[in-house]
């Protein structure tokens, strides 16, 4: 796992952050002290004069200093991954602002196709109406808050299973049952509440911003700039497009904070030779490089020798793109897979893997099965690592660690981006 443990030299009590001892420890340089680092490993809720953020949350955010050079920087405190109030702040300032990946275009390829999902406390529906227009809504009946749809498939309308209120695929309220005698109900004001929705390449994106959405479908170029920034060109020209065919989806429940899984992905291949021996043999780790963009980091690596029997899942090069805050795109050989990390609780996340393959190989069942088996082995190894790190983060022996400067620059970029969003009032 990419969080590098540095011994602090003092166990932090529940009431005191032994800051003086930490700052005077040999592992903490004088140049770092000069920047004014603040440490917050554990906290309790407290009122604040600032709107929208408590003093405890503010202390946790400020415990990480993005201005310290990478070679001297201290990782965020463990409270970022253990304090429930911090996750609430992340939903508000990270996940409910800006574009979020929620699915892939094959799920809503035809008119009347739909799928549902959840992020935090937001239930949503994505669909194509009868005219083929892409739409997204809050998946909440306007009568008594029941979910109006579940799963995925095709529907001509959404019928609430509780009291039968019926909505068109454009969100309009078509029928409200047993409302004789009700006063001041304007049906045109009781449709499903819309969300902004868009696509980029093979991906479906939603904005969960709290303010009303004037229109649902957004300009592709605007979405591209907001979601990917200047990284869009390198992604679109390196095989991340709609030409690949979706093969399967696999979902994992991991007992760790969502950022722990992201950190594991962003360590520049640091853990690969130690945790993934088979994967390491198929990569030339000496060729590993990292590119940093505004909201995206890209790790690249050349492939290694093929197996003795000629099996080659990874191809001649691999590209691993992390799109802030929680979406990962892996392009290698004939494959592309994506990892969507969805926070569930402070110490639990769901990781959704979607696998896409070059159309020339979709009928090669043997190749697909073997490739998925190898990928599954890597995922299980990563889950063990991440769950072990989460347990360590909850220990009183750990507060913050250090970065390996030659490989963990993408992780540091992720933490800096989080700090910027969380501290922006």
């Amino acid at each position: 796992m990419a969080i590098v443990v540095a011994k602090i030299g003092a166990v932090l009590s529940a009431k005191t952050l032994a800051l003086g001892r930490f700052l005077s420890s040999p592992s903490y340089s004088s140049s770092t002290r000069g920047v004014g680092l603040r440490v917050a490993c554990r906290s309790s809720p407290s009122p604040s004069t600032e709107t929208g953020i408590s003093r405890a949350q503010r202390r946790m955010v400020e415990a990480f200093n993005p201005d310290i050079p990478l070679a001297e920087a201290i990782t965020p405190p463990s409270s970022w991954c253990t304090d429930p109030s911090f996750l609430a702040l992340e939903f508000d300032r990270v996940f409910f602002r800006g574009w979020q990946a929620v699915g892939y275009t094959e799920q809503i390829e035809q008119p009347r196709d739909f799928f549902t999902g959840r992020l935090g406390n937001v239930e949503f529906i994505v669909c194509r109406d009868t005219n083929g227009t892409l739409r997204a809504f809050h998946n909440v009946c306007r009568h008594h808050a029941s979910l109006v749809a579940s799963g995925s498939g095709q529907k001509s309308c959404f019928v609430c299973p509780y009291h039968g209120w019926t909505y068109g695929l454009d969100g309009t309220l078509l029928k409200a049952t047993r409302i004789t005698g009700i006063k001041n109900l304007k049906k045109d004001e009781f449709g499903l509440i819309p969300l902004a929705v868009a696509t980029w390449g093979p991906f479906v994106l939603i904005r969960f911003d709290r303010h009303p959405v004037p229109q649902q479908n957004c300009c592709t170029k605007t979405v591209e700039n907001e979601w990917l920034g200047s990284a869009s060109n390198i992604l679109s020209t390196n095989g991340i497009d709609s030409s690949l065919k979706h093969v399967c989806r696999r979902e994992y429940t991991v007992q760790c904070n969502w950022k722990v899984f992201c950190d594991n992905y962003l360590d520049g291949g640091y853990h690969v030779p130690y945790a993934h021996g088979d994967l390491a043999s198929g990569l030339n780790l000496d060729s590993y490089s990292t590119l940093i963009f505004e909201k995206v980091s890209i790790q690249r690596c050349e492939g290694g020798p093929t197996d003795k029997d000629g099996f080659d899942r990874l191809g001649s090069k691999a590209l691993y793109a992390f799109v802030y805050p929680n979406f990962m795109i892996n392009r290698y050989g004939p494959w592309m897979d994506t990892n969507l990390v969805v926070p569930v609780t402070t110490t639990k996340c769901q990781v959704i893997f979607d696998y896409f393959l070059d159309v020339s190989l979709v009928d090669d069942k043997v190749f697909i099965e073997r490739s998925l088996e190898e990928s599954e082995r890597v995922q299980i190894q990563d889950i063990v690592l991440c769950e072990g790190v989460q347990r360590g983060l909850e220990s009183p022996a750990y507060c913050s660690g250090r970065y390996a400067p030659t490989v963990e620059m993408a992780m540091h970029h992720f933490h800096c981006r989080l700090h910027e969003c969380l501290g922006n009032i």
Side-chain angles (χ1 to χ4, degrees):
M1 172 60 202
I3 297 178
V4 182
V5 180
K7 292 190 176 180
I8 306 297
V11 176
L12 302 176
S13 71
K15 297 182 178 178
T16 304
L17 302 175
L19 184 59
R21 279 178 288 173
F22 178 71
L23 297 180
S24 61
S25 66
S27 63
Y28 192 74
S29 68
S30 58
S31 58
T32 304
R33 288 197 295 271
V35 183
L37 179 75
R38 291 169 292 276
V39 178
C41 289
R42 301 288 185 267
S43 65
S44 58
S46 61
S48 173
T49 57
E50 297 175 314
T51 303
I53 184 170
S54 70
R55 290 194 181 97
Q57 290 171 326
R58 169 63 62 187
R59 285 197 299 270
M60 285 186 282
V61 172
E62 293 181 345
F64 175 73
N65 191 334
D67 297 325
I68 300 176
L70 178 59
E72 302 172 3
I74 307 297
T75 63
S78 55
S79 56
W80 280 32
C81 294
T82 60
D83 192 301
S85 73
F86 199 81
L87 179 60
L89 183 65
E90 289 174 328
F91 274 122
D92 179 53
R93 303 202 170 190
V94 176
F95 292 101
F96 295 156
R97 304 187 188 190
W99 292 102
Q100 306 296 327
V102 296
Y104 56 95
T105 54
E106 283 187 58
Q107 293 175 287
I108 36 85
E109 203 166 25
Q110 302 298 326
R112 300 184 179 87
D113 284 349
F114 81 96
F115 68 88
T116 61
R118 177 184 176 95
L119 180 63
N121 62 354
V122 178
E123 302 278 354
F124 62 85
I125 306 171
V126 178
C127 69
R128 287 202 184 273
D129 66 19
T130 53
N131 297 318
T133 302
L134 179 64
R135 298 183 181 274
F137 307 96
H138 286 271
N139 184 12
V140 179
C141 181
R142 300 297 301 282
H143 177 222
H144 283 322
S146 172
L147 303 187
V148 299
S150 60
S152 61
Q154 278 207 330
K155 286 185 180 292
S156 58
C157 60
F158 297 115
V159 181
C160 177
Y162 197 8
H163 297 113
W165 284 39
T166 303
Y167 301 87
L169 300 182
D170 61 355
T172 58
L173 177 61
L174 301 178
K175 182 174 72 173
T177 62
R178 304 190 70 169
I179 58 172
T180 301
I182 195 171
K183 297 180 179 180
N184 303 320
L185 173 66
K186 298 179 181 180
K187 290 178 63 176
D188 60 348
E189 296 178 359
F190 267 73
L192 297 176
I193 297 175
L195 291 162
V197 63
T199 62
W200 185 88
F203 309 124
V204 179
L205 314 172
I206 289 180
R207 287 192 72 120
F208 294 93
D209 303 65
R210 302 296 189 184
H211 56 74
V213 180
Q215 61 179 17
Q216 288 209 294
N217 284 286
C218 304
C219 171
T220 300
K221 193 64 178 178
T222 299
V223 173
E224 179 181 76
N225 289 336
E226 291 177 352
W227 190 48
L228 300 175
S230 59
S232 60
N233 184 63
I234 192 172
L235 295 181
S236 60
T237 57
N238 277 271
I240 298 175
D241 54 46
S242 301
S243 66
L244 305 176
K245 185 71 175 176
H246 186 262
V247 173
C248 71
R249 166 173 286 190
R250 292 183 174 176
E251 301 183 17
Y252 304 86
T253 298
V254 188
Q255 302 298 323
C256 72
N257 184 272
W258 69 278
K259 295 185 295 300
V260 171
F261 193 93
C262 293
D263 284 351
N264 180 69
Y265 184 88
L266 292 170
D267 76 351
Y270 193 170
H271 74 283
V272 171
Y274 308 103
H276 309 306
D278 291 339
L279 176 61
S281 66
L283 295 171
N284 177 9
L285 294 176
D286 290 337
S287 69
Y288 221 100
S289 64
T290 300
L291 300 174
I292 303 294
F293 300 87
E294 302 92 340
K295 298 181 180 180
V296 176
S297 61
I298 296 175
Q299 302 170 80
R300 298 185 294 187
C301 187
E302 296 177 4
T306 60
D307 289 354
K308 294 180 180 179
D309 60 2
F311 177 77
D312 183 14
R313 176 175 71 98
L314 300 175
S316 61
K317 61 179 181 179
L319 181 149
Y320 307 104
F322 178 83
V323 183
Y324 177 85
N326 64 330
F327 190 57
M328 301 153 212
I329 310 168
N330 312 302
R331 188 68 171 92
Y332 49 94
W335 286 100
M336 177 177 75
D337 68 71
T338 62
N339 321 145
L340 178 64
V341 186
V342 182
V344 178
T345 68
T346 305
T347 58
K348 182 167 69 175
C349 62
Q350 181 186 35
V351 187
I352 302 169
F353 282 74
D354 283 303
Y355 291 88
F356 304 80
L357 183 61
D358 188 284
V359 292
S360 65
L361 291 168
V362 293
D363 294 324
D364 191 338
K365 305 303 182 186
V366 174
F367 176 78
I368 292 174
E369 182 177 352
R370 182 167 174 182
S371 296
L372 293 177
E373 285 177 355
E374 290 197 2
S375 178
E376 173 86 2
R377 184 160 51 249
V378 173
Q379 311 324 321
I380 297 303
Q381 291 166 345
D382 277 332
I383 288 172
V384 172
L385 292 175
C386 291
E387 292 185 341
V389 167
Q390 183 64 41
R391 292 171 66 181
L393 288 168
E394 295 168 5
S395 166
Y398 183 89
C399 177
S400 293
R402 298 293 300 273
Y403 298 97
T406 60
V407 287
E408 293 184 319
M409 59 285 288
M411 185 194 305
H412 182 253
H413 175 257
F414 170 50
H415 295 160
C416 290
R417 182 73 190 174
L418 278 172
H419 180 274
E420 179 183 358
C421 294
L422 294 169
N424 184 22
I425 298 176

